[in-house]
Amino acid sequence: MKFSTDKPAIFDRLHEAYGVEWGGTLVVAYGDTIYHSKPLDPSVIVHESVHLSRQESPVQWWESYIRNKDFRFKEELLAYHAQYDFLKDTIKDRNELARHLWRLATDLSGAMYGNIVSHKDAMRLIKMT
């Protein structure tokens, strides 16, 4: 796994499909590289590593991700679950862990992924997958 602060090759497609901008919190896993513009939390690296491990063909994976909301949801749920498991193993304060789960569920249920699940369902699914 490599890291780069350059824009990934898929960025223009992502911008076109989702209106995302480079910088801020955007992180993209493509091929064998995690692209980001700012330092990453270790739990985010775990999340993105799941995406990398599932990209046998990055071009095909990203086309499915962009075009198929069910595929996108399943891929993100796997990654958020791994991220949550990492946090469970590293955070001992249950209130802090609950705040992280709330934030992860907010992301998964948000506009970036097309509001494809409710926040309540996202919390439940992230914990149980």
Side-chain angles (χ1 to χ4, degrees):
M1 172 178 16
K2 296 186 274 184
F3 297 90
S4 175
T5 56
D6 296 332
K7 287 181 186 177
I10 192 72
F11 177 76
D12 289 339
R13 289 278 289 123
L14 295 175
H15 177 73
E16 179 185 309
Y18 304 112
V20 296
E21 297 296 335
W22 186 245
T25 61
L26 181 67
V27 181
V28 176
Y30 189 89
D32 64 350
T33 305
I34 297 174
Y35 295 87
H36 56 94
S37 63
K38 296 184 178 179
L40 296 175
D41 181 88
S43 74
V44 174
I45 295 170
V46 169
H47 176 112
E48 297 301 328
S49 295
V50 170
H51 294 320
L52 290 178
S53 73
R54 299 185 53 80
Q55 293 180 23
E56 191 171 312
S57 166
V59 172
Q60 275 184 324
W61 189 92
W62 274 103
E63 276 306 309
S64 295
Y65 186 94
I66 291 168
R67 294 179 182 270
N68 184 329
K69 71 178 184 177
D70 292 330
F71 177 85
R72 182 170 56 252
F73 175 72
K74 289 174 186 171
E75 294 297 309
E76 289 301 337
L77 183 56
L78 289 169
Y80 277 111
H81 176 68
Q83 187 174 0
Y84 179 71
D85 276 353
F86 174 84
L87 291 167
K88 271 194 327 192
D89 291 343
T90 57
I91 296 172
K92 300 308 173 201
D93 181 291
R94 68 182 182 157
N95 293 322
E96 184 180 351
L97 182 60
R99 285 189 293 276
H100 281 281
L101 176 59
W102 182 269
R103 181 183 50 80
L104 297 177
T106 298
D107 290 347
L108 182 59
S109 64
M112 187 163 87
Y113 302 120
N115 304 101
I116 54 182
V117 66
S118 71
H119 189 272
K120 181 179 176 181
D121 286 343
M123 287 184 63
R124 178 180 55 80
L125 290 168
I126 289 169
K127 285 172 55 174
M128 69 181 268
T129 302

